[in-house]
Amino acid sequence: IDISGAPSGADGIAIDAQDDSTITFDIDNHTTFRGNFLSRAVRIEATGQDADTATLVGHVRNNRFNDWQSGIFVNQTDSGSVVINIDNNELTDSTSAGESIGILAGNGDSPAGKLDATVTNNRIANSVTSGDDIFIQSNQNAVVCSDIRGNNTLASSTTTSINIEQNNAAIFRLESS
C-alpha cells in the first residue's frame, strides 16, 4: 500500500466499528506500507455510544511500515470494546510527533469501554526527534489491559520508547512475563 502522494490525513487501511457492530480482522504480511508523514498506515476504531457495544477483534502482524505519522493507531471510545494483537511488525521512520504504535482508550461514557492490547516482537527504528515508539493511554472510565514484551525500540534521543499514561478514573493493567 503506497499513499505517499495522497493528501495529509489519509489512512492506508481504516477499520471503524460503530453502534452495535462487530468486526473481526487480520492485517497480515503486507511487505510495505508507505505513507507521507502526515497520515496513518492503519487506523482501527471502536465507537459504541451510550448502550451500544461496538466490538473489534483482530491482528496486525508481519507487516512493514515506512514514513507514517502513525504506523498503527488503535482508538476505543465510549462503550466500545477492542481486543488487538500487534505482533512482528517493522516500523521505520513512522512518526512525525505521533506514535509508531498508538493505542488510546476511553472518553467517559458508562458503561466504560474495554481495550485489551498485546504488543509483541515489533521492531521500531525512528530517525525523527519527537513522538513515541509505543504509546498506550487509558482515559476517563476505560479499562485497559496491555501485554507489552519482546519489542525492539531503537528510539532517538528525544523519542520515548514506551510511554504509558493513565488519566482520571481509568483502570490500567500492565502484564509482563
Side-chain angles (χ1 to χ4, degrees):
I1 296 175
D2 186 344
I3 65 165
S4 55
S8 64
D11 296 314
I13 294 176
I15 300 171
D16 190 358
Q18 297 183 2
D19 302 325
D20 282 325
S21 64
T22 298
I23 298 175
T24 302
F25 62 93
D26 191 356
I27 301 169
D28 186 13
N29 204 28
H30 290 276
T31 55
T32 301
F33 281 86
R34 184 168 305 284
N36 64 13
F37 275 118
L38 297 172
S39 53
R40 296 179 179 134
V42 177
R43 180 178 54 87
I44 299 163
E45 295 191 82
T47 305
Q49 294 182 344
D50 300 320
D52 296 334
T53 55
T55 303
L56 279 169
V57 178
H59 306 273
V60 179
R61 56 188 172 180
N62 306 313
N63 301 292
R64 295 183 68 208
F65 301 95
N66 296 338
D67 303 329
W68 296 90
Q69 178 181 11
S70 184
I72 302 166
F73 177 75
V74 180
N75 187 28
Q76 174 279 321
T77 61
D78 299 317
S79 56
S81 174
V82 176
V83 177
I84 186 151
N85 175 34
I86 300 171
D87 181 58
N88 200 37
N89 297 288
E90 181 179 317
L91 298 100
T92 306
D93 291 338
S94 297
T95 179
S96 60
E99 299 87 23
S100 295
I101 299 173
I103 300 171
L104 300 142
N107 79 351
D109 271 8
S110 185
K114 293 187 232 173
L115 190 145
D116 291 317
T118 302
V119 182
T120 53
N121 306 314
N122 298 287
R123 292 166 309 285
I124 301 171
N126 288 316
S127 62
V128 296
T129 59
S130 62
D132 301 308
D133 290 337
I134 299 171
F135 176 75
I136 302 178
Q137 183 180 60
S138 181
N139 293 300
Q140 303 299 334
N141 295 318
V143 177
V144 174
C145 182
S146 293
D147 182 357
I148 305 168
R149 58 187 156 80
N151 298 288
N152 184 356
T153 59
L154 305 172
S156 66
S157 61
T158 57
T159 300
T160 304
S161 289
I162 300 174
N163 185 358
I164 297 172
E165 292 184 13
Q166 176 181 351
N167 298 313
N168 307 315
I171 297 171
F172 199 109
R173 296 183 182 108
L174 186 59
E175 298 178 4
S176 64
S177 50

